Amino acid sequence: MASLRVKKPTTRKGKKALEEREPKTIENLKKTLIMEGRKCSNEIRQALKDLNLFKKPNSRMMRRNNDVTPFEDATPLEHLAKTNDCHLFLFGSTSKKRPNNLIMGRIYEEQVLDMIEFGIDHYTELEKFKTEKISQFTKPVIVFNGYKWKLTEELRRIKNLLLDMFRIDQIESIRLQGIEHVLSFTLTDDLTILVRSYRIQLKKSGQRTPRIELTEMGPSLDLSIRRTKIASDSLYKTAMRQPAILRVTKRKNVTRDELGNVHGRVHVGKQDINALQTRKMKGLRKTAEEKRTERANKKSRLSASGHASMDEDADGDSSGEANDGMDADSGEE
């Protein structure tokens, strides 16, 4: 029986390479493995090269043909993806049954998660567009046109795969002058996906907001859906799960405005102000004049109350003598 001993890296470069592949709370950018099949036409080969220009530097392009059939046996493809630390792949091939074949897919836990087979019906190379190109490593604006993207679960997965394939990074803020590239995916009535690439030009409009013009710069692809391999709902849900640290927990009575400021609402019961204990400080102390006025008012209240009690006693004595006189008169009679 073969031993399951794991050989530890002995060099600093090896340790760093393994640390890069370890699970992280915020994962690295997904790399794309681009490879050619056993037979590949010039059109497919050029399409892979043009797509590689969009994916640089997060792509690895294989320089030789590979005898791989992903839909029949994806083990060699999974091994190559693991070796090159890639989680997305583009595979091009040509056969008599399926000419100009392009397969897109993604890897999860070293196994194929989703895989879509497209047929390139029409292709125009990047070099045939004699227009000004964009700068390298520019993040594209991805646009999906058509109401049919949400009709079926299969089309929703294809949309999610295309977004995952061509999105370079997730950003929180943008600069208007930094937007140069638009990738458009249009789904027609016959389920053909039209892939177009445009360069954004900002023109003067006489106002604060510039006028935007789109110039097609290539490449241009018309893709038809052939075969699909979609992950199950449970596996897809597991792959989309986020770590607990990154989840935004909803807190009661706490809101956040557009500027990112946190506002909290506190509910306090009815307070008795008379029983409220205040801190003794110089600013709250009474002056000497206020103390003298308070003592004088207290003495006047006490004297007034004393006179009132004496008058009540006198009234009580007079009323008692009157009653005794009345009793004597009634006895004489």
Side-chain angles (χ1 to χ4, degrees), residues 257-270:
D257 58 9
E258 297 177 355
L259 300 177
N261 301 322
V262 179
H263 300 275
R265 181 184 299 173
V266 181
H267 297 275
V268 182
K270 189 175 181 180

Side-chain angles (χ1 to χ4, degrees), residues 29 137-142 167-176 178-179:
L29 297 179
F137 312 141
T138 301
K139 298 180 180 63
V141 178
I142 301 177
R167 182 180 61 182
I168 296 179
D169 193 6
Q170 186 173 358
I171 58 176
E172 298 179 355
S173 59
I174 59 175
R175 186 173 63 94
L176 187 61
I179 303 177

Side-chain angles (χ1 to χ4, degrees), residues 134-135 137-143 171 173-183 198-203 210-214:
I134 59 174
S135 57
F137 312 141
T138 301
K139 298 180 180 63
V141 178
I142 301 177
V143 181
I171 58 176
S173 59
I174 59 175
R175 186 173 63 94
L176 187 61
Q177 289 75 13
I179 303 177
E180 301 180 12
H181 187 204
V182 173
L183 273 177
Y198 301 95
R199 181 178 180 270
I200 299 177
Q201 293 181 339
L202 303 179
K203 302 290 185 179
R211 181 169 54 89
I212 298 176
E213 289 186 1
L214 298 180

Side-chain angles (χ1 to χ4, degrees), residues 300-315:
S300 62
R301 287 197 301 270
L302 290 175
S303 60
S305 61
H307 290 307
S309 61
M310 290 175 64
D311 293 340
E312 290 177 359
D313 294 340
D315 293 341

